[in-house]
Amino acid sequence: MSTAISRTNRGTGPSRATAADGGERRHLGLALVVIAAAQLMVVLDATIVNVALPHIQRALGFSGSGLEWVITAYAVTFGGLLLLGGRSGDLLGRRRIFITGLLLFSAASLAGGFATSQTWLLTARAVQGVGGAMIAPTALALIMTTFPEGPPRNRAMGVYAAMSGGGAAVGLIAGGLLTSYLSWRWVLFVNVPIGILVALAAPYVLSESPRRPGRLDLPGAITGTGGVALLVYGLSNASTDQAGLSHWGDAKVVASLVAAAVLLVSFVFIESQSKHALLPLRLLRNRNRSGAYLMMLCLATAMFGIFFFLTIFVQEVLGYSALKSGVAFLPFAGMIVVVSGIVSQLISRTGARPLMLTGGAVTTIGMYWFSHINEHSSYASGLLGPMLVTSAGLGMLFVPLSLVALNRVRGEDSGVASSLLNTGQQVGGAIGLAALGTVTWSAVAGSIRHQVAQAAAAAARSGHQLPASKPGAAPPAAVLNHALTVGISRGFMLAAGIALLAFVIAVVAIRIRREDLSGAQAQAESPGVEERDSVSRIQHRDGMSAVEEPVRS
């Protein structure tokens, strides 16, 4: 049986209806500003701290291996707690968890900015990760439950995608500016006013989702959180280092990856039996959704190379400062913002699949083009072209990926469904660090050895002998620059292969219809259950009449 409550404002004239529409648009616009600002803050943190690492090392006396924990402490808690953060929003209220995460992230940023010891800073970074794991999945879920399906949601997703894709590049610029003109502490302090302002505004522009019946799946939370955290930790420490020494066989890496495998297998078994699953496995039975999650995992792995490898290239080979390096990524961020905006307007007419196929192909071409850089490449001739092509491809992908991953998700599952997309990004980045880092630094070390051997052989043929180099001494700049470009080229070749895999997944798995994203009323995945498009549309704070969608019963 189907009951419909009229969407018109009964007893009011056209002017009243127009005022209601205008109020709703303003309400949704402010909601989008709040969600986008929160997402930008979380994404910025992924790169803004990287720029400040040398300054942090000098100020607090970190060793080379200890310095890695400034990044790892955040990555482990953030990646490990994403599923729990998303599910908590579903059960306890998404706005509540969103605001709690913002305040926790801000407080940890403030504490970290005042750090005077390594332990103090690392603790603050770990707590930042906890806050980020609450913000990221609930921000995406709030878009799905605040904005009506169709063009309004597509436009909102375009802004969200622009923040996610371009925010990392903006973080490099902001990090360069703050460390150059203020202090490394400001890469943490900058989060505080943003987080507090967004947290204060959220109750006025975001409606709270209802608390859901049920309890938290504690066994699933322990095994899922522990498994993802150990997987991120193990992969983050497995990569071959800059000296060409592999760490895949290190005891801590092997133990972490084995424990992660055991916990994640246990997690899947527990979830298949649980009545209150942290991750309902029905979410993965949808072919399009699973394909979108796999594509995000691949793209996050491939994207690792853009920022990591290219930052090394422009600083070491081209000799750019940290600030100039950040500015060099502006075209990348700008192209993602522009293309994401265009795609959000087109997707209702074209559907997701053509955009995902085109975006996957273009991204693969851009990554492959990157693999042709060498020590003689300049920014204009070697980097700008592939940067624009790759970012255009990614801009075509981010909006449809998010929409497909969350299409027809039950209202009570939107938080955990969003967290799966974020988890794919985080785990993909860790895989990129391990796989692409291993290929790149192995090639760098091999190229250095090869060049030194060639030089020694040439000297022997001419009757000369090369002076013995001191242990640990850096090779000549020309040798190092050539080796770096050889390694980076190999890394981008692998990244292109991973992007190609994402394209193949789109071809095989994505079958979503244009009508599914055009605003037509979606059918629930199971009988009798409907995804509620918008909580905030139903009731306005200014006394306007209630507006409701048809409700199936």
Side-chain angles (χ1 to χ4, degrees):
M1 177 178 174
S2 178
T3 309
I5 301 176
S6 174
R7 299 187 61 182
T8 61
N9 294 305
R10 292 189 296 268
T12 62
S15 61
R16 182 67 171 168
T18 301
D21 291 341
E24 181 177 356
R25 283 194 295 270
R26 286 192 298 272
H27 177 80
L28 293 179
L30 291 173
L32 182 57
V33 169
V34 165
I35 295 170
Q39 177 65 10
L40 180 62
M41 182 180 71
V42 173
V43 173
L44 280 177
D45 194 79
T47 52
I48 196 172
V49 174
N50 286 355
V51 178
L53 286 178
H55 302 267
I56 293 172
Q57 183 175 26
R58 289 192 294 269
L60 300 182
F62 278 98
S63 65
S65 58
L67 187 64
E68 296 174 359
W69 273 99
V70 177
I71 303 300
T72 304
Y74 177 85
V76 168
T77 54
F78 180 69
L81 292 169
L82 277 168
L83 285 174
L84 185 58
R87 197 49 161 172
S88 298
D90 290 335
L91 295 176
L92 303 176
R94 296 183 192 100
R95 188 182 70 183
R96 181 178 293 108
I97 297 299
F98 179 71
I99 294 173
T100 302
L102 285 167
L103 294 176
L104 188 61
F105 193 93
S106 301
S109 298
L110 182 64
F114 284 116
T116 57
S117 69
Q118 297 177 18
T119 302
W120 183 343
L121 179 62
L122 295 180
T123 301
R125 289 288 289 160
V127 176
Q128 269 190 306
V130 177
M134 300 170 77
I135 297 168
T138 50
L140 184 54
L142 282 167
I143 286 182
M144 303 307 292
T145 56
T146 300
F147 294 87
E149 190 177 37
R153 184 181 295 175
N154 297 345
R155 287 192 293 268
M157 198 61 73
V159 174
Y160 178 90
M163 296 300 102
S164 301
V170 175
L172 294 174
I173 301 170
L177 285 170
L178 293 170
T179 54
S180 297
Y181 296 107
L182 291 172
S183 161
W184 67 265
R185 298 181 184 278
W186 279 94
V187 303
L188 296 167
F189 286 149
V190 71
N191 296 319
V192 178
I194 300 173
I196 291 176
L197 287 174
V198 172
L200 290 174
Y204 296 96
V205 299
L206 297 174
S207 296
E208 181 60 283
S209 58
R211 301 182 76 162
R212 304 285 180 181
R215 57 182 177 82
L216 185 65
D217 173 20
L218 189 59
I222 293 172
T223 53
T225 298
V228 175
L230 286 170
L231 179 62
V232 171
Y233 172 77
L235 291 172
S236 298
N237 287 276
S239 174
T240 298
D241 61 26
Q242 297 187 25
L245 181 63
S246 173
H247 295 283
W248 283 97
D250 289 3
K252 65 178 182 181
V253 172
V254 173
S256 298
L257 295 179
V258 170
V262 172
L263 286 173
L264 290 175
V265 169
S266 302
F267 173 71
V268 173
F269 176 77
I270 290 169
E271 298 310 277
S272 66
Q273 306 296 317
S274 176
K275 294 181 179 179
H276 303 281
L278 180 72
L279 171 59
L281 296 184
R282 63 176 176 270
L283 288 173
L284 302 179
R285 296 192 187 110
N286 182 288
R287 175 179 181 170
N288 294 305
R289 187 175 304 124
S290 295
Y293 289 145
L294 288 174
M295 286 186 69
M296 180 58 77
L297 180 71
C298 293
L299 291 171
T301 302
M303 274 185 66
F304 171 84
I306 296 175
F307 295 107
F308 184 74
F309 297 145
L310 291 188
T311 300
I312 292 173
F313 181 84
V314 297
Q315 291 186 357
E316 299 295 333
V317 179
L318 299 183
Y320 285 12
S321 66
L323 179 57
K324 191 175 181 180
S325 299
V327 173
F329 285 97
L330 265 180
F332 180 88
M335 182 62 78
I336 286 182
V337 170
V338 170
V339 175
S340 294
I342 294 172
V343 167
S344 68
Q345 302 292 328
L346 290 177
I347 193 167
S348 296
R349 297 192 292 271
T350 64
R353 192 169 190 268
L355 292 168
M356 295 171 79
L357 293 176
T358 305
V362 171
T363 300
T364 302
I365 292 170
M367 292 284 188
Y368 179 73
W369 191 357
F370 267 130
S371 71
H372 288 74
I373 61 174
N374 57 57
E375 64 269 35
H376 306 297
S377 299
S378 67
Y379 176 77
S381 65
L383 297 185
L384 186 58
M387 188 181 291
L388 292 175
V389 171
T390 304
S391 56
L394 292 170
M396 293 181 203
L397 286 166
F398 287 144
V399 175
L401 267 178
S402 300
L403 289 170
V404 171
L406 299 177
N407 181 249
R408 295 187 180 184
V409 170
R410 295 179 178 184
E412 66 266 27
D413 293 335
S414 60
V416 71
S418 301
S419 70
L420 274 175
L421 206 59
N422 294 120
T423 301
Q425 290 176 307
Q426 193 67 19
V427 172
I431 294 173
L433 175 62
L436 303 184
T438 294
V439 169
T440 298
W441 295 122
S442 296
V444 169
S447 176
I448 290 174
R449 289 194 297 267
H450 179 69
Q451 291 179 78
V452 170
Q454 278 190 324
R461 285 195 299 269
S462 62
H464 297 86
Q465 186 174 1
L466 291 178
S469 59
K470 296 179 180 180
V479 172
L480 179 59
N481 287 348
H482 177 74
L484 282 173
T485 55
V486 168
I488 290 171
S489 175
R490 298 272 179 85
F492 270 117
M493 188 67 74
L494 177 58
I498 296 170
L500 180 61
L501 177 60
F503 172 76
V504 172
I505 292 171
V507 172
V508 173
I510 304 301
R511 290 289 185 271
I512 194 166
R513 300 172 302 167
R514 178 180 61 84
E515 294 78 10
D516 293 329
L517 301 177
S518 64
Q521 183 69 35
Q523 297 291 330
E525 284 192 326
S526 63
V529 182
E530 179 191 2
E531 175 189 359
R532 299 305 301 259
D533 284 334
S534 172
V535 176
S536 64
R537 286 190 308 127
I538 294 176
Q539 186 171 5
H540 293 288
R541 302 178 186 278
D542 59 2
M544 295 179 186
S545 300
V547 179
E548 291 198 14
E549 294 281 4
V551 178
R552 289 184 179 86
S553 57

